[in-house]
Amino acid sequence: MTFSNLVDTFRQLIHRFPDKRTGRNTIYSIEDVVLGAFSVLTTQSPSFLAHQTAMAENKGKSNAQTLFGIQAIPSDNHIRDLLDAVPPQQVFPMFEWVFNALNELGQLQVFRAVEDQLLIALDGTQYHSSNCIHCKNCSVKTHKNGRTSYLHTVITPVIVAPGHNRALPLEPEFIVPQDGHHKQDCETAAAKRWICKYSARYRALNVTLLGDDLYSRQPLCEQVIAAGLNFIFVCKPQSHPTLYDWLDQLEKAQVVQTLRIESRHGKRREIDNYRFVNQLPIRDGDDALEINWCELTTTDSDGKVVYQNTFISNHRISADNVVGIVQAGRTRWKVENENNNTLKTKGYHLTHNFGHGKEHLSALLASLNLLAFLFHTILDMMDTKYQLIRAKLSSRKMFFQHIQALTCYHCFDSFDALLDFMILNRPGFSGDILV
Ligand SMILES: [Zn+2]
């Protein structure tokens, strides 16, 4: 899968978008408009289209055309106007195409974790908050002082694996006011919708969902199991009093199993103490779901606790798999660190207001941003030239700065030609890879 491959496939998918425009509005094709926005997010260069318009006027060609296949470069205002009517779900088939292609190529195998599971971490992240800018799909929060905030939040599911430094984003689920519901939408309701929509695709692939304490409630756990998926969710004592009462009783009866593993990290010695027990009620009541529980407490040589967390799962827990179950549960932080924080603070400007619109623009741009992150992740997995460049320009911000500057001055025949140029011309890069 090359960058050109991905962009060509995306262009074909955009071609199927509904386009209700007539007359003068149709100067720009819907493909050019969507790819125009996507090019800004892929290069993380707000002025990309303005520079490419100037380059096209001077040189008769531009990187908008050679890298993204854009025939007529739309202005930022055209993009904002035309894309506001496009629901974000229109771009979701591209996430599915990439997932299927990676699966067919065997690229998902490296993500397999405990019990041969593919781990999908779910986490909500807020990407817009304003006291004045809002649209009909904003969530509304009224503060005690009467002030009103307008928010956009999205669940960003990602495939993660312990010891794997990449996170593969899947179709997001937006937390938006739902038709026929008076209550504000919330993260668990959005998670349930995501499971409904996509479980059929993942059921046969041995998938375990990861989530924080918000997810470890009976209705959601039941839905995960009914959908043919598995779960490992954080389970805090404060939110599960019945479960922890049972645990105290079982502890007194000495039936909670334990495992102790000592390890050295240089001069530092650490002790991992695992406790686990199967078939505990998740809550009070006769209809309580039985789940399996485990805990890891890590102490240093002085007995000081340096890590502690507890998880529940539908996977039966034993001394053979408890380390893997906890490792998988802990991988959930990757969705925060390697996905959401990257998107917000390390180059993707997810929270920056590229444009809000009155209907879909904000969510569509957030989806295109996630897709840009996915494209870069694919290149990082499969393109040796891209890997070489990212190894030298390890911060995404620096990588984007170089792309912005280069595409501002020179028209490259393709994305591959841009990578070749970077490898051949930057001191410290070896051109051997091009031979
Ligand atoms: Zn809004």
Side-chain angles (χ1 to χ4, degrees):
M1 254 188 283
T2 63
F3 185 80
S4 307
N5 259 172
L6 292 166
V7 170
D8 287 349
T9 305
F10 190 33
R11 171 171 275 277
Q12 285 165 27
L13 284 171
I14 301 166
H15 186 63
R16 298 184 215 152
F17 281 18
D19 188 357
K20 293 173 186 158
R21 293 172 298 156
T22 53
R24 283 193 318 135
N25 276 337
T26 51
I27 300 168
Y28 302 103
S29 71
I30 190 75
E31 291 96 320
D32 282 353
V33 174
V34 176
L35 285 167
F38 187 63
S39 68
V40 170
L41 297 166
T42 307
T43 58
Q44 289 294 320
S45 169
S47 49
F48 181 76
L49 293 175
H51 287 144
Q52 301 312 310
T53 303
M55 185 182 281
E57 282 167 8
N58 289 332
K59 299 185 178 184
K61 60 178 185 175
S62 80
N63 293 296
Q65 183 193 3
T66 55
L67 307 190
F68 294 94
I70 297 168
Q71 302 305 314
I73 304 172
S75 70
D76 292 353
N77 283 337
H78 269 112
I79 290 174
R80 291 190 191 105
D81 280 353
L82 295 172
L83 292 191
D84 195 29
V86 179
Q89 289 75 15
Q90 291 289 338
V91 304
F92 290 5
M94 193 64 210
F95 288 94
E96 182 178 1
W97 186 90
V98 171
F99 178 86
N100 289 338
L102 289 174
N103 194 23
E104 280 168 25
L105 291 167
Q107 290 283 333
L108 296 178
Q109 280 311 108
V110 293
F111 287 93
R112 290 277 168 196
V114 64
E115 305 287 315
D116 200 30
Q117 295 288 300
L118 206 54
L119 307 176
I120 299 178
L122 305 176
D123 193 30
T125 187
Q126 186 182 300
Y127 67 93
H128 170 78
S129 174
S130 170
N131 295 333
C132 56
I133 299 170
H134 65 280
C135 68
K136 67 186 241 186
N137 284 319
C138 274
S139 295
V140 182
K141 187 174 175 183
T142 308
H143 301 271
K144 281 179 186 162
N145 63 5
R147 198 165 55 84
T148 301
S149 294
Y150 300 99
L151 313 167
H152 278 251
T153 311
V154 61
I155 290 185
T156 52
V158 286
I159 298 175
V160 288
H164 200 297
N165 64 0
R166 298 185 185 100
L168 277 176
L170 303 171
E171 294 91 338
E173 180 67 32
F174 289 90
I175 298 173
V176 289
Q178 298 291 301
D179 290 344
H181 290 256
H182 294 300
K183 272 196 337 187
Q184 291 276 340
D185 196 20
C186 66
E187 183 170 341
T188 44
K192 286 177 184 172
R193 288 199 301 275
W194 189 88
I195 292 164
C196 270
K197 287 177 192 169
Y198 303 112
S199 58
R201 188 192 308 162
Y202 298 121
R203 191 171 294 144
L205 295 170
N206 292 341
V207 162
T208 292
L209 301 182
L210 310 176
D212 65 16
D213 187 64
L214 195 67
Y215 290 74
S216 56
R217 303 296 187 274
Q218 176 147 340
L220 187 57
C221 294
E222 282 180 328
Q223 189 181 345
V224 173
I225 294 168
L229 307 178
N230 307 292
F231 63 84
I232 301 172
F233 294 146
V234 172
C235 174
K236 296 210 181 294
Q238 305 89 301
S239 45
H240 297 79
T242 302
L243 189 157
Y244 280 86
D245 280 349
W246 273 86
L247 195 65
D248 284 346
Q249 298 301 321
L250 294 172
E251 184 72 52
K252 283 174 191 155
Q254 298 187 328
V255 293
V256 177
Q257 299 182 73
T258 59
L259 180 71
R260 185 177 188 276
I261 298 175
E262 207 174 305
S263 59
R264 283 203 166 273
H265 306 275
K267 286 184 179 171
R268 210 158 36 88
R269 191 168 64 96
E270 281 187 352
I271 301 120
D272 288 337
N273 290 295
Y274 294 89
R275 295 198 301 151
F276 57 95
V277 62
N278 292 305
Q279 292 183 289
L280 277 177
I282 192 170
R283 69 177 185 196
D284 203 4
D286 295 338
D287 65 341
L289 178 71
E290 286 191 341
I291 46 76
N292 309 316
W293 174 92
C294 60
E295 174 190 69
L296 167 62
T297 306
T298 303
T299 53
D300 62 16
S301 47
D302 298 327
K304 188 179 153 208
V305 174
V306 292
Y307 177 83
Q308 204 271 338
N309 214 339
T310 46
F311 303 93
I312 57 168
S313 177
N314 65 320
H315 292 294
R316 190 162 183 84
I317 303 174
S318 68
D320 291 333
N321 69 5
V322 67
V323 175
I325 295 272
V326 169
Q327 263 184 356
R330 293 180 74 172
T331 312
R332 192 198 68 78
W333 65 267
K334 278 177 179 274
V335 69
E336 284 176 28
N337 282 339
E338 291 179 19
N339 193 61
N340 293 344
N341 283 352
T342 301
L343 288 167
K344 283 179 174 178
T345 63
K346 293 182 184 161
Y348 288 91
H349 308 105
L350 188 65
T351 52
H352 180 79
N353 185 27
F354 284 113
H356 199 84
K358 294 185 172 117
E359 199 171 6
H360 297 301
L361 184 64
S362 175
L364 180 71
L365 292 176
S367 302
L368 289 174
N369 220 346
L370 280 167
L371 204 54
F373 178 54
L374 176 61
F375 276 30
H376 293 138
T377 305
I378 299 300
L379 295 177
D380 209 15
M381 288 169 67
M382 303 181 71
D383 188 319
T384 46
K385 291 176 189 173
Y386 185 88
Q387 287 166 357
L388 186 72
I389 292 164
R390 282 306 313 278
K392 295 281 181 189
L393 303 173
S394 55
S395 105
R396 284 176 201 269
K397 278 183 185 167
M398 190 184 285
F399 172 72
F400 288 134
Q401 281 167 6
H402 284 229
I403 296 282
Q404 284 167 26
L406 288 169
T407 54
C408 187
Y409 289 102
H410 186 75
C411 184
F412 296 91
D413 289 339
S414 64
F415 191 76
D416 206 45
L418 168 60
L419 297 182
D420 285 349
F421 180 91
M422 291 173 84
I423 291 170
L424 284 172
N425 291 284
R426 186 179 148 81
F429 275 11
S430 164
D432 298 350
I433 195 165
L434 302 180
V435 177

